[in-house]
Amino acid sequence: MSTRHCGDWFVPVRCSGDIATLQTGRLPDGRRVGIAFSTLAGLRAASGAQEWMRMTEDGLHDLLEPLGIERIQLDPTLVAVPVRGAVAS
């Protein structure tokens, strides 16, 4: 049984003009995960000042599902900024 979070989450995004793209991460085993924070302070502490959106858990799941991402990592302690030109393994 899964536990659902009540209320909005703070979700890191990258914006280009009017388009916002969800920021995702990877677990050590390589699986992709959604990233969300229960507080704005938590998001900023883990990833520095960056763009974000507020959304519900269900809304985030709805956006991640077409990408094949089933898991959301809530309140990760570190979100590394991707290095430009890096090749994903």
Side-chain angles (χ1 to χ4, degrees):
M1 172 165 75
S2 66
T3 302
R4 302 306 271 186
H5 172 80
C6 294
D8 288 348
W9 283 344
F10 297 87
V11 178
V13 298
R14 288 190 194 95
C15 293
S16 178
D18 293 337
I19 298 173
T21 304
L22 294 174
Q23 187 173 355
T24 61
R26 288 196 183 268
L27 297 173
D29 66 8
R31 287 183 294 155
R32 290 176 67 195
V33 294
I35 300 170
F37 294 86
S38 55
T39 66
L40 183 55
L43 181 146
R44 289 192 170 141
S47 62
Q50 66 173 338
E51 298 164 315
W52 54 272
M53 294 177 69
R54 283 184 85 151
M55 65 179 55
T56 65
E57 179 180 2
D58 288 339
L60 183 53
H61 275 291
D62 289 346
L63 292 174
L64 293 171
E65 184 179 356
L67 303 173
I69 300 174
E70 298 177 0
R71 179 174 171 173
I72 296 172
Q73 187 71 36
L74 182 62
D75 294 327
T77 56
L78 175 65
V79 176
V81 177
V83 178
R84 291 202 184 268
V87 176
S89 55

